[in-house]
Structures are given as structure tokens and as C-alpha cells.
Amino acid sequence: MDNGYLEELGTKIQTGNNLLAFGGQTKSALLAKDGITALDIGKISGILEYLPDEYTFTAYAGTSLYTINQMLAEHDQFMPFDPPFIERGGTLGGTVASNLNGPGRFRYGGVRDFILGVKYLDYQAKLVRSGGKVVKNAAGFDISKLMVGSLGGLGAMIELSFKVFPKPPEYRTVISRFSTLEELLDTLVNLTANSIELFCLDIEPASEVYNLTIRLGGIPDLFPKRIERLKQFVGDIEILEGDHERSFWDEINEFSWVPEDTLLIKVPITPSSVETLDDFLSKNEIQRRYSVGANVAWIAWSKPVDIIDKHLKKIKLAGLTILGQTDQIRLGFREPDIFFQRIKNALDPIGKWVEI
Amino acid sequence: MNTESFLDELSRLYPDEKLLTKPAQLVTYESDALTSYQVRPMAVVLPETQEEVIQTVRLCHKFEIPFVARGSGTSLSGGSLPVTNGIVIALNRLNKIIEIDPKIRIATVECGVVNIDVSLAAAQYGLYYAPDPSSQLICTIGGNLAFNAGGAHCLKYGMTSNHVLGIKAVLPDGEVVEIGSASLDSISPDTVGLFVGSEGLFGIALEVKLRLLPKPEAYRTVLAAYPSLEAAGNAVSMVIAAGLLPGAIEIMDELAIEAAETAVQAGYPRDAVALLIVELDGETEIVDWEFASLMEVIEESGAGEIRVAENDEQRLQIWKGRKSAFSAVGRISEDYLVQDGVVPRSKLSHALGEIERLGDQYNLRVANVFHAGDGNLHPLILFDGRDPANLENAEVLAGEILKMCVNLGGSITGEHGVGVEKLEYVPTMFEDADIDTMIAIRREIDPGELANRGKLLPFDK
Ligand SMILES: Cc1cc2nc3c(=O)[nH]c(=O)nc-3n(C[C@H](O)[C@H](O)[C@H](O)COP(=O)(O)OP(=O)(O)OC[C@H]3O[C@@H](n4cnc5c(N)ncnc54)[C@H](O)[C@@H]3O)c2cc1C
């Protein structure tokens, strides 16, 4: 990255209003707004440091996830939060700003658990740093975590440092079918109280059944025994392996199952709230997945958006539109967040950045 | 500030036995585990309910009285050191475990709950709370949250921050807020992540939602003795290079081994110059497989004696020495300072060599026990507190070590926080713009700088 471009961004920050940073433009709903001053961070890309022995890397925010994955794969490492939209051109900064995690988050945690540090341009175009580059650090307020989910509304991230982990050599996926969600959830709860190490634990509603899809990672020799053990919990299963297995999860993480003309909505849930949400979605015949052990719902919404907005309000859940064209990005139940408002006032006292 | 009216109103909130103002009652609260710093507060209150805490903070706000939250006072950086003319809000009695929900694997607890008690309460569901600072038998969840406490298992499991999902807090102006939720995912900026590690500067966490994990079904704990710290450090690099992700990788040096042996008779090999503890945990099949690769690595690493814990008792025996190392060192020298700088793991050997050199230069003994997997050093600098010059010398040495950590690309603190003790070194790690931003946040949350004044930020009042 040349400093000239940083200066250009600086000028935009100083002269513009309604600032919004963007990267690979893969999350369509979070972008297009009239009257914004767009800051193209996608132009600031490249790996700054990768230390496989330290399990850490630092890269410019506009670096594509694809590039990072390739780099990590050479040392049998990976980003355990399993970022989505790799093929579509997602960037590291965009992943942090929108707090997007893939199904693999189940095993070790999300973006927030692996981010180590950030450098960002603030409302005065000053470069501010928080956190560090080492795997453990407790010095100062952790603004890097605050950037997770900030949707470009607190500053323009320029540089990010992350912790990574060794990648399991192979995976297997086990699919079992349940006739009701309730039955499936009983199994899910039993399974998650057990110390079997699951990489992904997703629920896939299909016609008349609910599939529980479980991904195991590790040494191939151990899979037969581990799968036998899983069967004690889930009963009859179908097993996926090899390329087929890989593309199964890749497609999920690219959201190829979401039709072009629908909105993709993310709703944080818990195994206790998923059933109420599912009642409504299944009645409306909506395509959906529940990921990360029923901690997030991904909804391909094809009807007028105010219907789901109203319903989410009623059941006290909140959603964020990630893909598609709509003015309603935030949906459902939202209480005034006094603490965040104060933080926002501190980081953006003159209201330079877009409202999030 | 009208102290008399303040104390008068406070006494309406608390009966005598819960409002301490007599010098003899205040002594216990004059310092935390960093005993070389002492300040007598104006008063100490012992609330038993969240409402009492809220009312107390509101009173402090009304009268502009600074307050310091205190859990068990085990802070090693002066985090819970009182402020002159301020009060201490001692939170140990807010110790209700409100709910353990095995379905969503969350414990909702009050801030004064002791760390280990969360795991004890969750055990009936096969769950546990992962962060395990060595002080876990006494330190509180509120103190852990304020300092983003770590422990021996951070490389694989992360720090406190990675296990806190929601916080109910009273801000320094008495406003009560709830942030975060029971879901692992979120669609808002991660304010919980910002709150954790804020060292009490954002007010008092009253109630916390903690993520619970299934208890690992298998452990394999290996103890290996080495002829030098460098050799033990190299073994750590070899373990990592083998692609293993142990739950814990710890090292102790000769002086720490000697202290631990004397104090708790952990049965460590006495002739070892350095001890490495590696623990694998998780699913039985996987742990067994990893154990075989680990042993190959350890056997090639130049270790002398190698011991493998054959049962839980032996495992706990290995940990007993490590976890009691700080207090054990306290037996060989009444006064010591613990630093907890971090260096990149590959620079551990270099950093330890430097510490040894600096120790010689300042003529002070330094014991080392540390979280090697995270590069998190814990040099314990032994000194004679009766001699002020000796303390000053120890502090200068501690500062030199911190600067070295930053120069090597690390941090001044991995888990014990800045507190008052490392204030001076914050600018070695952060630029003006970074510190100004933190101050801006502080001022927006607490313009009067009432909550834990004089900690973490170098330019507080
Ligand atoms: C022998 C020994 C071993 C230790 N080992 C470790 C270790 O392995 N890892 C590690 O990380 N630390 C360790 N520590 C340090 C210490 O135990 C931790 O920092 C712990 O988190 C402090 O908890 P506490 O309840 O004692 O808090 P205190 O010391 O009472 O307070 C610590 C800080 O938290 C603030 N605080 C307390 N409660 C609240 C609340 N409810 N809301 C807001 N702020 C609050 C205080 O104001 C203070 O700033 C060790 C300490 C000792 C003495």
C-alpha cells in the first residue's frame, strides 16, 4: 500500500460525511446507500507479517480471505472462525466489520475470539492502534473487539492482526435426520454437553425433516471409532468425505443456497429460542439454516421485509440483512444501547461515520 | 465534595457492620496482592445485593467521591488499590450463582462469585468454566472480567474475554446497562469485548453471563526436566511445530522449582534447571493420538527425566506445584514483584536470557514461571521490602523487563493488567493517538473519573 492512498482516504475523511468503509463489496445489503462517502479499503491489501510458529498474522484490511487462506494452508493452519464469502471475494476487514463467521466457528470461536489487534483511521483521519500482535495481551481497552460488528461505523480499519490454529488434516461429515426440530434439539443438547470435538454443528430444515449436520476434524485413522461413538447419539447416519464433503461446506459458506432475489438475514439465536423462530419460518415456507449449534439463524427471506421485522420484534429477536437490496438493514427487536451510544460518541464525536 | 454528608447518606444505606470507617477495619483493604503499594480509603462498604451497589455508585456520583471495586484483592498490579478520599466497594458478598442453563451452556453469576465455584456448580451437567487463573480458588469473576484474566489454558481456550457473553453493569454515573446476550453470535459492535479488560474504569459489573464448555473427558499431562531454560524453550517450539495444540504449556525455572518444592512438595525432580509441563485435553481418542506424537517430540527434545501423570491425583500433583508457585516464592522472599509481559513465543529463550542478565546487573534474584505456550512471562523479582532502595531497584528492573517485551514485539501485560504498577509503561506500547482514544472513551463513560481513578490510563486525574 502506498502512503498516498492513506492520505487520499484521510482527505475524504476530513472533507466527507456519512463515511462508510467497504472492502470486497460481498455483503450487498450493508453497502449501497445514497449520500455516503465511500472509503474503498479493498485497495489496501497484502499480508504484512505471517509467523506460523507464533500462530499469528497481520494483514491489511482489504486483503482477500482467499489470499489469507492460501497463505495459511501452506503451513497447515487456518482461521478457526471459518469466514464466509471466500470465493465471492470477501476481505478480512469486511469480515470483521460485519462479524461474519462460518459453521466452523463452533469448534474454537468467532472473529472476536481470534482478533488480536487493529489499526484504523479515526474521525480525524488519525491512525489509531489497539491490541497487539501477540497471542495474549491485556493492555488497554480492547477496541479491536469493538470493531467486530461495527459495520464501518466507528472508523476505517487499515490493518488487522489475528491468531490462527493448526488445521485438522481431514474432515468427515455425518448427517442424521429427525422428524421434528424438538427431537433434533434434544440430541443437540446431549451432544454439546459431551466432550466429542465437533467442528460444525448445523441444522438444515428440509421438506418434512430436519437434518443435523456434524463435521468432525482430525486424523483419518480415528474417524471410524469417533463416528461409531457419534452414532450412539444420533442414530442412523449418512457420511460424507473427500471433495464431496469439502464442497458441501464450501457451498454453505458461500451461501449458494440463497436465491438471487431474496434477502439473506442473520439472526443470533440460542438452542432455546430456535423453535419459536422456526415455527414462523416453516409456516411461511422460508429457506433457512441454523448454524453454530443453533446460535445463529441464516434466513433467505423472499417476502415483504416488514413481515419478518414485525415477527422478530414479537419474539424479541434481532436480525441484520447481509445480502440483497433493502433499506431495512436492522430488523426486529432493538433496545436503546446506552453503553454503545457513549462509546460511539467518544469515537465519533462529530458524527462523521454512518449510523449503525 | 462533601465527605460528611456523603458518609451520612452512606450510613443510611448500610448498617454499621457493612460500612467500615475505623482505621483497624480498613487495614485489610489498603492494598491488594501488590503489597508494596498501600492507600487507606475513606471507607469500605460490603454490599450484599446488586441494588446496594447501584445505590452506592449513585451516591458516589452525587458527591463526586471516587470508588474502587474490589473482588478478592488478588490483583498483582495494584488494580484494587484504594484511592485517597475514595471508598472501596468490596463485592465478595455478591456471590450468587443465579442460573446454570445446561441447554445453552451458560452460567449467569454475580460478580463476587469465586472463579472455581462456577466450575463446581456446572460439574453436575458435565460442564466447566475454562479460564483458570492460578488464583482461581479465591479470585472473583468480577476481578477476572475487569482484568481479562488468563491462566494456564489460554493458547487453546483464550482468556476471560472469550468466555463472557453478557454483562449487567452499573456505569460510574449510576446508569444500569445490560450488554451482550446469551447467543454466541451477535449483530452489534462487540461492547462486551470492550468492557472486559477495562480494569474497572467503566463502573461495576454486577452480573455476568459466562460460556461453559463440556469438561474434557481425557487429560494427558507430561512433566519434563531440562538442563537449561533454553532447552525447555526449544521443546516448546518443537511441540508447536509438530502441529499440536495442547491445553497448556508451562515452564518453571530452578528457583521457582525450589520454591514450589519447599512449599508444597510437588515431587518435582530437584536437579532440573527447567521444568516443562505440557497438558493435552479433550476427546479420548484424539488425546491418545496426540499424546503419542507429543512423547516423540519430548523424547527428541533433550529432556532428562520425563514423567507422565497416570491418574488424576498425579496430574493434580503436577499442577499443585505450578499453581502455587507465586505463593511459594513468597516463602523464600517475603517481598517480590511479578511481571507478566508477553513476547512472541519464538523469542522466549532470548527474553529469558535477557532477564537473567538484567537480574545480575541489578543484583536481584529473579524466579521464572510462565505460560510458555502464550509467550507470557512471569518473572518474580525478589527484593527486601525493608530497604526502600531495594524496592526501587526491583521496580527499575521490572520496567527494563517490560520495555524489553515491547521491543521484542510483545506486550507489557498478558493477564495481570496495567493497574497502577505499569502505568508508566503504557506509552512504551501505545502512541499518543491510541492513548487519547482510550482517554476519550473513559471521559465519555466517566467524565468525573470516579471509577478506579489512577489505573490503566497514564493521564487520569
Ligand atoms: C497467587 C496468585 C496467582 C495468580 N495467578 C493468576 C493467573 O494465573 N492469571 C491471571 O490472569 N491472574 C492471576 N493472578 C492475578 C489475579 O488473581 C487476577 O487479576 C484476578 O482476576 C483478580 O481477581 P480479584 O477478585 O482478586 O480482583 P481484585 O484484585 O479485587 O480486583 C482486580 C481489578 O478488578 C476490578 N474489579 C473487581 N471486581 C469488579 C467488578 N465487579 N466490576 C468491575 N471491576 C471490578 C478492581 O477494581 C481491580 O481493578 C494471580 C494472583 C495471585 C495472588
Side-chain angles (χ1 to χ4, degrees), chain B residues 32-33 68-76 79-80 91 111 132-135 139-140 142-144 146-147 149-151 199-200 203-205 326-327 371 415-416 452:
Chain B
D32 53 24
V68 175
R70 181 182 168 108
S72 295
T74 64
S75 162
L76 291 162
S80 40
L91 297 156
C111 61
D132 64 338
S134 304
S135 50
C139 66
T140 64
N144 293 173
F147 270 3
E199 302 199 8
I204 298 184
F326 288 2
S327 47
H371 308 303
E415 52 181 26
H416 297 168
N452 224 3

Side-chain angles (χ1 to χ4, degrees), chain A residues 54-316:
Chain A
E54 301 292 338
Y55 290 171
T56 58
F57 75 85
T58 299
Y60 284 123
T63 314
S64 73
L65 297 167
Y66 183 83
T67 307
I68 295 166
N69 251 4
Q70 297 287 97
M71 167 190 83
L72 296 175
E74 280 177 27
H75 290 269
D76 298 322
Q77 296 185 341
F78 76 136
M79 290 178 272
F81 49 97
D82 193 17
F85 298 123
I86 294 182
E87 289 298 324
R88 290 195 200 209
T91 63
L92 194 60
T95 305
V96 173
S98 49
N99 182 20
L100 290 187
N101 305 282
R105 178 208 175 126
F106 188 76
R107 176 74 186 95
Y108 292 114
V111 178
R112 75 179 300 269
D113 299 303
F114 287 87
I115 190 166
L116 298 174
V118 66
K119 263 190 198 166
Y120 68 96
L121 287 173
D122 75 355
Y123 71 104
Q124 293 172 307
K126 272 198 199 147
L127 208 51
V128 176
R129 189 169 69 84
S130 172
K133 291 181 177 177
V134 276
V135 294
K136 198 174 187 187
N137 171 28
F141 295 154
D142 195 348
I143 300 173
S144 36
K145 283 216 172 54
L146 183 71
M147 287 292 165
V148 177
S150 61
L151 298 179
L154 293 176
M157 285 179 270
I158 302 295
E159 232 182 86
L160 290 156
S161 298
F162 270 90
K163 164 164 137 174
V164 295
F165 272 166
K167 188 180 162 72
E170 279 194 36
Y171 293 104
R172 294 289 183 275
T173 289
V174 163
I175 305 179
S176 64
R177 298 181 208 301
F178 294 82
S179 47
T180 66
L181 181 57
E182 194 186 351
E183 235 177 88
L184 180 149
L185 286 170
D186 284 344
T187 303
L188 181 141
V189 169
N190 278 337
L191 208 52
T192 53
N194 213 279
S195 97
I196 304 182
E197 291 171 13
L198 313 174
F199 273 77
C200 307
L201 183 62
D202 269 26
I203 304 170
E204 222 174 49
S207 57
E208 313 283 315
V209 290
Y210 287 85
N211 294 333
L212 182 61
T213 52
I214 302 171
R215 193 177 207 196
L216 298 175
I219 308 300
D221 289 356
L222 303 180
F223 284 134
K225 216 168 156 193
R226 296 176 65 201
I227 290 173
E228 269 318 300
R229 188 167 167 204
L230 261 186
K231 277 191 196 164
Q232 295 167 10
F233 290 89
V234 298
D236 279 350
I237 52 167
E238 179 192 341
I239 301 174
L240 308 181
E241 56 180 89
D243 289 348
H244 182 43
E245 198 268 358
R246 202 168 316 124
S247 54
F248 174 84
W249 289 104
D250 285 350
E251 277 169 31
I252 287 170
N253 227 6
E254 287 302 318
F255 290 92
S256 0
W257 56 276
V258 178
E260 280 286 325
D261 50 351
T262 63
L263 299 177
L264 173 67
I265 299 170
K266 169 183 167 178
V267 179
I269 52 172
T270 68
S272 296
S273 60
V274 62
E275 277 177 283
T276 330
L277 178 63
D278 192 68
D279 277 348
F280 165 75
L281 296 173
S282 66
K283 271 185 207 127
N284 279 279
E285 295 178 2
I286 296 295
Q287 259 183 286
R288 64 218 181 264
R289 292 186 68 82
Y290 307 114
S291 193
V292 194
N295 274 280
V296 61
W298 294 106
I299 303 167
W301 185 258
S302 48
K303 302 190 172 178
V305 71
D306 54 308
I307 301 178
I308 184 161
D309 181 43
K310 263 193 209 137
H311 190 78
L312 288 177
K313 280 197 177 102
K314 195 168 122 195
I315 59 174
K316 297 226 153 121

Side-chain angles (χ1 to χ4, degrees), chain B residues 55-203:
Chain B
Q55 293 310 330
T56 308
V57 169
R58 288 183 180 159
L59 269 189
C60 288
H61 183 246
K62 180 172 155 193
F63 288 93
E64 295 178 21
I65 302 284
F67 63 87
V68 175
R70 181 182 168 108
S72 295
T74 64
S75 162
L76 291 162
S77 59
S80 40
L81 183 76
V83 181
T84 319
N85 299 323
I87 66 162
V88 169
I89 306 181
L91 297 156
N92 282 101
R93 298 181 182 196
L94 252 75
N95 59 359
K96 269 200 228 61
I97 294 184
I98 297 167
E99 189 189 13
I100 305 267
D101 185 337
K103 187 168 178 188
I104 55 175
R105 295 191 291 158
I106 283 180
T108 307
V109 306
E110 285 188 327
C111 61
V113 167
V114 168
N115 174 299
I116 192 77
D117 289 342
V118 181
S119 289
L120 291 176
Q124 58 181 310
Y125 305 107
L127 302 171
Y128 83 118
Y129 176 61
D132 64 338
S134 304
S135 50
Q136 72 181 147
L137 296 180
I138 41 171
C139 66
T140 64
I141 292 298
N144 293 173
L145 180 147
F147 270 3
N148 193 13
H153 293 84
C154 294
L155 179 65
K156 184 168 173 185
Y157 294 100
M159 324 227 314
T160 299
S161 185
N162 307 104
H163 301 269
V164 174
L165 293 177
I167 304 167
K168 175 182 171 194
V170 53
L171 302 183
D173 60 2
E175 178 105 53
V176 176
V177 297
E178 287 189 47
I179 55 177
S181 79
S183 176
L184 289 181
D185 217 324
S186 153
I187 51 171
S188 307
D190 191 352
T191 45
V192 171
L194 179 74
F195 201 110
V196 178
S198 57
E199 302 199 8
L201 269 65
F202 293 164

